Amino acid sequence: MANEAKEMLGDVFTPSPEIVANATVKSFEEMTRLADKDLQTFWGARAEEFEWFKKWDKVLDDSNKPFYKWFVGGQVNIAYNCLDRHVKTWRRNKLALIWEGENGDLRTFSYHALNREVCKFANVLKSMGVKKGDRVTIYMGRVPELPIAMLACAKIGAVHSVVYGGFSVEALHGRIEDSQSSVVITCDGSYMNGKIVELKKIVDEALKRAATVEHVIVYKRTGHEVYMEQGRDYWYHELVALPIARAIGNNRCDTEVMDAEDPLFLLYTSGTTGKPKAILHTHGGYMVGIATTLQWVFDLKEEDRWWCSADPGWITGHSYIVYAPLLLGATSFMYEGAPTYPYPNRWWSMIEKYGVTVFYTAPTAIRGLMRFGEAWPNRHDLSSLRLLGTVGEPINPEAWKWYHRVIGKQRCPIMDTWWQTETGMFMITPLPVVNLKPGSATRPFPGIEAEVLDETGKPVKPGEEGFLVLKRPWPAMLRTIYGDPDRYVNQYWSKYPGVYFTGDSARKDEDGYFWIIGRVDDVIKVSGYRLGTAEIESALVSHPAVAEAAAIGLPHEVKGQAIHAYVLLKQGREPSDALIEDLRQHVGHEMGPIAKPEKITIVDKLPKTRSGKIMRRVLKARAQGLPEGDITTLEE
Ligand code: PRX
């Protein structure tokens, strides 16, 4: 029955009648029509689902483009809608979070318990002098205290800046410095692949280079010995046990009243050139956008168990591990460690153990686990699953079909969601009722208008490649680049005036389905992680032996793309295998293990334009044996 229900027409998968019958949104077309008719009424109705301290005067203010404002005049707090709103109801006793450590530790939090922990930690932050608008850097492993810290910041109106725990010294330092954080929250260490990642040590080294930090709060996860600086470093567990954490009533802490447009968080992401940019998201519009998309795309029901396997340190984790599931009052599962630890069945065993119903992951993870064969997932009962999802890079049809057949047993539609740190929420994505084509993220979410343009700004013909743009504002959109509004305008709104430029290339087919091809700027996607060539190059150049460096992304079977670097040595430095290995380690130390180049080649010359710009495009073509294209600007 299950197999018959899923009709396969060529490469089109149609949803089963069961899926359609259960879906919250029965007609994609109808919702799109409604949103197109009146965008403000459409998003206004979605915002009504939440508790506002004061209702908005206007849904969208576009009087100062591209600095759009949403729910202007409204007062709200996203953390209030994630926690306070639920603990007033029966959901107080519902599980908000189930967490498994890599070593098998298990912790669960009801909405009541999660709220209590958030209140305690919010009181701690307040007692340290953290106020509305202050920036707090969070650099932790994947432990429940990471979402707790984020929510505690949101609750008191502080702006969190989470730095992925796989980043290292220079990446962390740059982000602390740029955000001018006064407090850093970290762990002694985190577990990954059975080893300890020395988070506190990395913080200590980063802080030698940063002057703004007054306090460091350290959550004890591994228990191994770490350096604690007197007067600066405090243990998390000691602070939350202090009377001050419980001072106000029954673990209470009042939730700050925020304007809808007040900042919620900064999240650094890599761009075309220079240092990473701090993408700024706000309380009101972000809340409405992420909750609506999660509810409609993954159709979350009260009885579901949702698992988004991303790291909370990336936008996927911010939106769809921490905030949106809590906004919907859902039960989320979170796992600390590596998917293959101790064996390649770890993920599948946890889907079985916790009865996960909706599972959202990245193509690179699927390709990585596919390599170990079907026997690993087949050892487990995966029948609780009803919907699957992917994000982060294009999914090759082979991986799509494996995921669909082996994990979803041909019953579970796959929601391939295209979006970005900047968009905050899913933008091009199916809903469960939509026909699927493996490898296509299908069509824009209701209210979103996407297009593929040529260099001159004209829409390309179906099937032709062009630049992917978004033509209308949406509530969870970034508001600016923190501290650099000019860069916000130049980067996103200048290639085609008035239109948001995504940095991706894509094709649209005859049915209006979008096929994302990849980045057109100097961003490399390694295992779905977004890295800038400029950051990798500057890490290489900070090594005493290196004069110049160029980094490019080349196709890789599992990672999607892998980093290849070309290095010009300083005079008097001799190339050797030991030096190449040293350079790889150096990039790992400065940026993090994910940024270590796959291959480093020592060269005596880099292809440059006459004005001295490295032509990465030429390096890329040469490495792949492809035509070099237009090289008229190449210097002699
Ligand atoms: O190139 C697109 C790719 O990831 C980029 C955004 O990266 P980041 O800001 O790190 O956010 C990743 C998680 C939302 C996009 O510009 N990308 C993301 N999702 C997809 C994708 N490419 C193809 N298909 C997707 N579903």
Side-chain angles (χ1 to χ4, degrees), residues 316 392-394 416-421 504 516 519 525 530:
T316 312
E393 48 173 326
D416 177 352
T417 59
W418 176 89
W419 57 296
Q420 308 177 300
T421 305
D504 278 4
I516 312 296
R519 303 287 309 189
K525 277 263 164 172
R530 178 166 161 183

Side-chain angles (χ1 to χ4, degrees), residues 393-574:
E393 48 173 326
I395 179 162
N396 46 315
E398 194 199 350
W400 195 100
K401 287 177 185 165
W402 187 87
Y403 194 32
H404 185 255
R405 180 174 59 81
V406 180
I407 307 306
K409 311 293 180 208
Q410 290 174 306
R411 282 184 302 107
C412 308
I414 298 174
M415 303 296 107
D416 177 352
T417 59
W418 176 89
W419 57 296
Q420 308 177 300
T421 305
E422 292 87 343
T423 70
M425 65 185 221
F426 309 148
M427 300 300 283
I428 301 180
T429 172
L431 302 184
V433 295
V434 162
N435 289 346
L436 305 174
K437 302 185 190 185
S440 166
T442 75
R443 287 170 293 173
F445 189 81
I448 305 303
E449 192 181 347
E451 194 48 91
V452 183
L453 303 180
D454 67 13
E455 198 56 64
T456 69
K458 280 207 289 295
V460 299
K461 292 199 194 76
E464 279 178 15
E465 184 174 340
F467 299 109
L468 180 66
V469 300
L470 301 166
K471 296 177 77 175
R472 263 188 227 153
W474 61 99
M477 64 196 295
L478 77 164
R479 295 304 192 265
T480 189
I481 293 175
Y482 177 72
D484 203 347
D486 292 343
R487 193 171 172 198
Y488 166 69
V489 177
N490 292 336
Q491 185 96 52
Y492 302 107
W493 301 94
S494 298
K495 185 167 172 73
Y496 307 107
V499 171
Y500 173 88
F501 175 57
T502 63
D504 278 4
S505 65
R507 265 184 264 121
K508 199 163 116 175
D509 69 16
E510 301 279 354
D511 298 328
Y513 275 46
F514 287 78
W515 299 75
I516 312 296
I517 297 163
R519 303 287 309 189
V520 288
D521 51 10
D522 292 318
V523 169
I524 309 181
K525 277 263 164 172
V526 184
S527 301
Y529 295 130
R530 178 166 161 183
L531 297 168
T533 50
E535 274 184 283
I536 302 160
E537 289 160 5
S538 94
L540 281 164
V541 174
S542 71
H543 188 282
V546 177
E548 271 188 281
I552 57 168
L554 292 179
H556 186 279
E557 211 176 309
V558 174
K559 298 179 185 171
Q561 282 189 300
I563 301 166
H564 288 243
Y566 298 84
V567 165
L568 209 84
L569 296 181
K570 283 191 183 146
Q571 270 200 334
R573 292 289 192 149
E574 287 302 318

Side-chain angles (χ1 to χ4, degrees), residues 167-341:
F167 273 139
S168 196
V169 181
E170 186 47 39
L172 175 63
H173 160 246
R175 286 155 175 80
I176 293 175
E177 191 98 318
D178 187 76
S179 63
Q180 298 278 297
S181 295
S182 56
V183 173
V184 174
I185 307 164
T186 188
C187 298
D188 47 356
S190 66
Y191 290 115
M192 191 52 71
N193 261 318
K195 296 195 202 84
I196 290 178
V197 182
E198 297 270 3
L199 296 175
K200 177 62 168 59
K201 220 171 171 175
I202 294 170
V203 169
D204 289 336
E205 205 176 325
L207 291 193
K208 282 191 199 140
R209 308 181 194 178
T212 56
V213 176
E214 289 161 22
H215 301 299
V216 179
I217 304 176
V218 188
Y219 176 74
K220 190 178 269 188
R221 169 62 184 136
T222 53
H224 74 296
E225 198 165 332
V226 293
Y227 166 75
M228 295 290 279
E229 185 168 305
Q230 187 130 40
R232 186 194 72 179
D233 302 350
Y234 301 88
W235 288 109
Y236 185 104
H237 63 274
E238 289 178 2
L239 294 175
V240 292
L242 292 174
I244 185 74
R246 301 150 182 272
I248 324 164
N250 179 22
N251 293 325
R252 268 202 47 221
C253 170
D254 289 331
T255 304
E256 195 74 33
V257 175
M258 306 297 285
D259 285 335
E261 282 290 305
D262 274 339
L264 169 64
F265 66 82
L266 307 178
L267 188 55
Y268 287 84
T269 191
S270 303
T272 306
T273 48
K275 59 184 177 111
K277 41 194 182 180
I279 302 301
L280 182 93
H281 284 288
T282 57
H283 275 256
Y286 177 76
M287 171 182 82
V288 175
I290 62 170
T292 305
T293 45
L294 181 64
Q295 187 169 31
W296 290 9
V297 173
F298 286 104
D299 208 20
L300 284 197
K301 304 279 198 295
E302 210 64 79
E303 62 274 20
D304 270 316
R305 283 192 167 182
W306 159 253
W307 180 12
C308 164
S309 76
D311 191 282
W314 300 97
I315 191 67
T316 312
H318 278 55
S319 298
Y320 298 109
I321 296 178
V322 182
Y323 289 112
L326 295 173
L327 287 169
L328 298 180
T331 300
S332 256
F333 173 69
M334 180 169 146
Y335 166 60
E336 177 181 42
T340 49
Y341 188 83

